[in-house]
């Protein structure tokens, strides 16, 4: 009864939820430190919380499906127009729209990058081409660029943390056929562009390209991972085509409100980002002290190479610390979301004993 | 660049949101009566509201992607097991999974039914076969049943309101090839089975069929339309296949909580349903008084045939009353969600002047 394509599909391995550790190890939720899904450890803006609280009685009401106010807010922020924006249930839904709208025969991505690129591409039967290097290497991308219908560039890259310079990305875009869609995934752009302005994607400029789609999210720096709000930005032609695959009401009434209000509290976002890099330095110093290789990170997580990543991740889990083991990507490394200061203290202490 | 299939797609026409009437007609939100999207006019359970309020600080955290507790709650309610359940962002996402998982060549539905059947089916290039009759007519379904890969049965039917008896549906299922998926859409089942037990779908029994998928939702009787929570129930084989297309975190953290808590307050649901049919009677009497044809409804809305549905809907809109014009379905009728008593009083007064 089912399509043969299902046989070939992968499913996404989510970071282990707190609920699972409670169930499996009997640890109290308050004692669990979850640094596995790159959520904002400072939560979300208090102002956003207040505004969402006010409309809880409206949970019964469908959202404004035009998403007028949210798109206006994003348009203002990026100095573009609403017609250049589509809202998704997380930016990964925008990726889904794009991949299903193109139905690519082949797609290109770096060896280790956001898992949903491959998952959605396989849903439409695409062949996946990955560069030999785990991290983004544009020269390797150049070798395959003429064979593919979609190219994914994750800046900065999840789950590794490295980030290409915009000048290099721009040079690459100019070399790619206009018939190939280039998706610039900026889920962690707020972090990268804060740390180094060379990493900043000039989103408005992307509208000049006929074949570039930018994706962004409220899940990371904006602290709304649980609310599933992302967006795509591109020229009107691309956006109109993605709209054809958008189901109605694809974000919730409370998510819509949260997104609108989050754009009004950039101070929260900036403070989160500043604190992130202050705390990240502690992990960097730990790696230097222990002589561990790590990837200099432009995100809110850090990838640390270790001899026995699965064992370390498992041992941390037993004491209620959830991080991500990258063994599944063929890398003996752990990925740790940079937590709050007190969380990082505990994690570093635990790591000090294990490594 | 884009797939040719996009040319052929339809998009869903949502009920006009309150925000639009505010923007277009300058009417205050508090003065607008929205009875266009079959939301629960009594909102949602106060208990659910309280529980969701408590976890607002967790908007930053991704939901438990196993959805363990919600599935356990549903399993208990329907006397089935969690492995027979998949959660969707509204039941329409479950429809999307099913249609994309089957990739049907042809699908069968009644002429006027839930628009998403056709929209998702066209996304996979399926040919749409509709019965000649607007309302469900199983003899007409029988004429086409052997040609199609999916059959949609909406009990009760949206947007018309009629409902087949379970005994007739059962007889039909038994005649259909086991290679054809039958989707039983029970979005309004809580209303139908309250009004007439002959309409009640015995959900547990459906697991015995290798080719039947039931879909349900929290958007209607449970009063959580804005939270996008639905579910599919079927034998494990079907559910496992649908899971292959489920994106991670497909409902929000607050939605997950709302769903879990909503199952604990059936009193709210039952009161909403009782009140619904008391109030519906006022519309029935109005129709009888005015000698208007209407469809006896097993839902929380009523379809009334009128000479000039578009004109009536437009005139109501100007005074801040939003209902649905069914002209787009080729029927000169209006569909009105049964509102709260005071709302219905205003609508009936306005209709009395217009008809």
């Amino acid at each position: 009864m089912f399509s043969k394509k299902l046989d070939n599909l992968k499913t996404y391995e989510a970071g282990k939820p707190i609920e699972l550790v409670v169930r499996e190890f009997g640890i109290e939720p308050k004692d669990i430190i979850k640094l596995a899904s790159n959520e904002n450890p400072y939560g979300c803006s208090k102002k956003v919380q207040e505004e969402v609280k006010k409309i809880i009685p409206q949970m019964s009401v469908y959202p404004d499906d035009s998403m007028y106010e949210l798109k206006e807010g994003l348009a203002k922020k990026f100095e573009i127009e609403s017609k250049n924006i589509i809202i998704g249930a997380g930016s990964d839904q925008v990726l889904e729209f794009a991949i299903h709208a193109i139905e690519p025969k082949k797609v290109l991505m770096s060896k280790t990058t956001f898992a949903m690129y491959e998952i959605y591409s396989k849903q439409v039967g695409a062949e996946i081409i990955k560069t030999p290097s785990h991290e983004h290497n544009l020269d390797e991308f150049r070798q395959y660029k003429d064979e593919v219908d979609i190219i994914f560039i994750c800046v900065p890259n999840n789950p590794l943390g490295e980030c290409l310079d915009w000048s290099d990305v721009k040079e690459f875009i100019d070399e790619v056929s206009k018939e190939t869609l280039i998706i610039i995934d900026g889920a962690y752009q707020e972090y990268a562009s804060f740390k180094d302005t060379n990493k900043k994607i000039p989103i408005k400029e992307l509208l000049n390209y006929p074949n570039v789609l930018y994706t962004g999210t409220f899940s990371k720096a904006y602290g709304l991972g649980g609310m599933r709000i992302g967006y795509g930005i591109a020229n009107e032609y691309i956006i109109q085509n993605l709209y054809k695959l958008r189901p109605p009401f694809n974000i919730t009434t409370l998510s819509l409100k949260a997104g609108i209000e989050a754009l009004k509290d950039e101070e929260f976002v900036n403070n989160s980002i500043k604190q992130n890099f202050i705390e990240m330095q502690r992990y960097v110093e730990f790696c230097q002290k222990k002589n561990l290789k790590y990837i200099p990170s432009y995100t809110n997580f850090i990838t640390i190479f270790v001899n026995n990543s699965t064992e370390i991740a498992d041992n941390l889990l037993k004491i209620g610390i959830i991080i991500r083991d990258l063994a599944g990507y063929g890398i003996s490394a752990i990925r740790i979301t940079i937590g709050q200061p007190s969380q990082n203290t505990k994690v570093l202490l635990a790591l000090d004993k294990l490594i």
Side-chain angles (χ1 to χ4, degrees), chain A:
Chain A
M1 179 157 51
F2 290 99
S3 165
K4 288 215 172 14
K5 77 175 181 191
L6 295 189
D7 300 339
N8 192 33
L9 298 188
K10 279 179 68 165
T11 49
Y12 181 79
E13 193 195 344
K16 292 189 168 54
I18 287 176
E19 292 83 348
L20 181 136
V21 182
V22 172
R23 289 194 299 268
E24 289 198 3
F25 299 102
I27 300 171
E28 289 288 308
K30 68 171 176 49
D31 296 327
I32 293 172
I33 297 177
K34 186 191 172 203
L35 298 174
S37 300
N38 305 335
E39 293 140 338
N40 189 326
Y42 306 102
C44 60
S45 153
K46 290 279 183 300
K47 290 175 190 167
V48 172
Q49 295 183 35
E50 281 312 308
E51 292 301 320
V52 171
K53 201 171 281 180
K54 283 183 199 162
I55 65 155
I56 280 189
Q58 290 174 45
M59 288 195 290
S60 56
V61 182
Y62 288 102
D64 174 2
D65 199 43
S66 76
M67 303 188 193
Y68 177 86
E69 205 177 338
L70 179 57
K71 292 201 290 185
E72 285 291 305
L74 286 166
K76 197 174 149 203
K77 174 182 166 75
F78 295 119
E79 300 178 322
I80 58 176
E81 291 182 68
S82 284
K83 66 184 180 188
N84 299 118
I85 302 170
I86 185 167
I87 304 298
S91 57
D92 66 282
Q93 194 184 35
V94 179
L95 299 172
E96 183 189 4
F97 297 155
I99 295 163
H100 281 255
I102 302 265
E103 295 190 318
K105 290 216 167 34
K106 290 185 186 181
V107 301
L108 175 60
M109 64 191 71
S110 73
K111 185 167 175 183
T112 296
T113 191
F114 187 43
M116 296 310 296
Y117 306 155
E118 180 170 355
I119 290 171
Y120 288 128
S121 295
K122 285 193 167 168
Q123 287 181 3
V124 297
E127 180 187 333
I128 314 294
I129 301 179
K130 294 183 182 182
T131 60
S133 299
H134 287 286
E135 300 181 33
H136 283 62
N137 176 323
L138 287 177
D139 282 334
E140 292 176 4
F141 273 73
R142 283 183 175 91
Q143 290 176 42
Y144 302 98
K145 69 177 174 50
D146 296 331
E147 299 173 33
V148 298
D149 303 304
I150 301 182
I151 298 172
F152 297 94
I153 297 181
C154 194
V155 278
N157 187 25
N158 172 27
L160 296 181
E162 95 280 5
C163 191
L164 296 169
D165 283 358
W166 162 241
S167 59
D168 294 330
V169 174
K170 182 178 164 42
E171 192 183 338
F172 176 73
I173 293 174
D174 288 332
E175 296 166 23
V176 173
S177 157
K178 299 291 175 277
E179 283 301 304
T180 298
L181 182 71
I182 301 169
I183 299 182
I184 310 277
D185 180 346
Y188 299 86
Q189 252 297 305
E190 292 86 355
Y191 293 98
S193 54
F194 173 90
K195 184 174 177 181
D196 181 348
T197 53
N198 290 322
K199 309 299 183 189
K200 189 177 170 69
I201 304 292
I203 291 168
K204 190 182 174 178
E205 260 185 56
L206 299 181
L207 301 187
N208 299 327
Y209 297 96
N211 61 331
V212 176
L213 169 66
Y214 177 85
T215 57
T217 185
F218 286 86
S219 297
K220 307 301 172 186
Y222 284 87
L224 292 169
M227 298 304 278
R228 314 302 293 125
I229 326 161
Y231 50 89
I233 294 177
N235 67 66
E236 199 179 352
Y237 172 73
I238 291 176
I239 296 299
Q240 279 175 352
N241 275 288
L242 302 191
Y243 250 97
K244 291 180 184 173
L245 292 179
R246 188 189 69 93
F249 314 123
N250 61 324
I251 67 172
T252 76
T253 298
L254 302 191
S255 303
L256 183 59
K257 187 65 167 183
I260 291 165
E261 296 301 326
L263 290 175
K264 298 177 187 165
D265 190 4
E266 294 285 349
E267 197 188 338
F268 167 82
V269 177
N270 292 332
N271 286 340
S272 298
I273 295 171
K274 274 182 210 162
Q275 196 64 32
N276 173 68
F277 286 112
I278 292 169
E279 287 296 308
M280 187 184 288
Q281 189 55 27
R282 297 172 63 191
Y283 286 90
V284 169
E285 285 164 13
F286 174 83
C287 291
Q288 289 167 343
K289 187 184 85 178
K290 293 275 186 178
N291 214 8
L292 294 170
K293 213 180 124 197
Y294 66 95
I295 297 177
S297 170
Y298 293 86
T299 65
N300 67 345
F301 59 83
I302 187 164
T303 296
I304 302 173
F305 294 89
V306 289
N307 283 331
N308 39 9
S309 63
T310 305
E311 193 183 323
I312 289 173
D314 286 349
N315 282 327
L316 289 174
L317 196 62
K318 284 176 196 158
I319 57 170
I321 296 172
I322 317 174
I323 61 156
R324 193 74 78 100
D325 173 20
L326 297 186
Y329 291 92
I331 306 174
S332 187
I334 52 175
R335 189 195 71 178
I336 306 172
T337 307
I338 311 302
Q340 290 184 22
S342 63
Q343 295 176 316
N344 298 327
T345 299
K346 285 179 194 164
V347 173
L348 287 165
L349 268 173
L351 280 178
D352 195 41
K353 286 180 197 162
L354 290 170
I355 301 178

